[in-house]
Amino acid sequence: MPVDKKTLNQYRALQREIPKLKKDIQKLNDKLDKVPDVAGKVMKSSDEFPYIVEHVKVDIKDPRPADEIKKQIRYKELRLDRAERQKTEIEMFIAGIEDSMDRQIFEMLYTNDEKMSQAAVGDIVGYTQGRISQIINSYLKD
């Protein structure tokens, strides 16, 4: 499953975005818990025959603010899911590189906490920057 450079370069951004989205979702859930309850009525059938419609009082979250917050939570959850899938796709791509040296090159360039240049990676593994670029391009789709 080849990927392109743009996708690989997203890895660090995804690492920052995922915890932020989780924190945002938690804040929205906390905000949802603070939405005041309002009284409402629902209809139900009586428990025994003859089944007669009964009106029952219930307390529910105020629908207007609760619905807006739930909509924001769903949006953030979709973004989180997409970000986690993209991050996993990159990790699986790199893990799928059979050559150990090539895999290490990709890890140093794209998944390490500190961004490294091709020249710096080349110095570590004993290759020129040009050779590092060739290795990368041999794995990536156009």
Side-chain angles (χ1 to χ4, degrees), residues 6-96:
K6 184 177 178 182
T7 302
L8 282 170
N9 285 325
Q10 286 292 307
Y11 190 83
R12 286 184 191 87
L14 292 168
Q15 281 185 301
R16 289 187 306 272
E17 184 179 21
I18 289 169
K20 183 188 178 310
L21 287 169
K22 288 179 179 179
K23 186 177 179 181
D24 290 349
I25 291 167
Q26 183 58 51
K27 284 181 182 179
L28 286 167
N29 279 316
D30 292 345
K31 189 175 177 181
L32 182 61
D33 289 341
K34 294 177 183 173
V35 171
D37 289 341
V38 294
K41 287 185 180 181
V42 295
M43 294 188 308
K44 77 169 202 115
S45 297
S46 59
D47 295 334
E48 298 180 17
F49 188 78
Y51 301 111
I52 301 170
V53 175
E54 297 178 348
H55 295 276
V56 180
K57 290 183 179 182
V58 294
D59 287 331
I60 59 170
K61 297 285 183 191
D62 190 352
R64 287 187 185 118
D67 288 348
E68 181 59 34
I69 293 169
K70 288 176 184 176
K71 186 170 123 182
Q72 292 174 9
I73 290 170
R74 282 192 302 276
Y75 173 73
K76 296 275 186 183
E77 287 174 339
L78 288 171
R79 282 183 50 200
L80 176 61
D81 182 56
R82 185 174 49 233
E84 288 175 332
R85 279 189 281 116
Q86 288 174 321
K87 184 175 179 256
T88 299
E89 180 182 330
I90 294 167
E91 290 168 345
M92 289 175 61
F93 167 75
I94 293 173

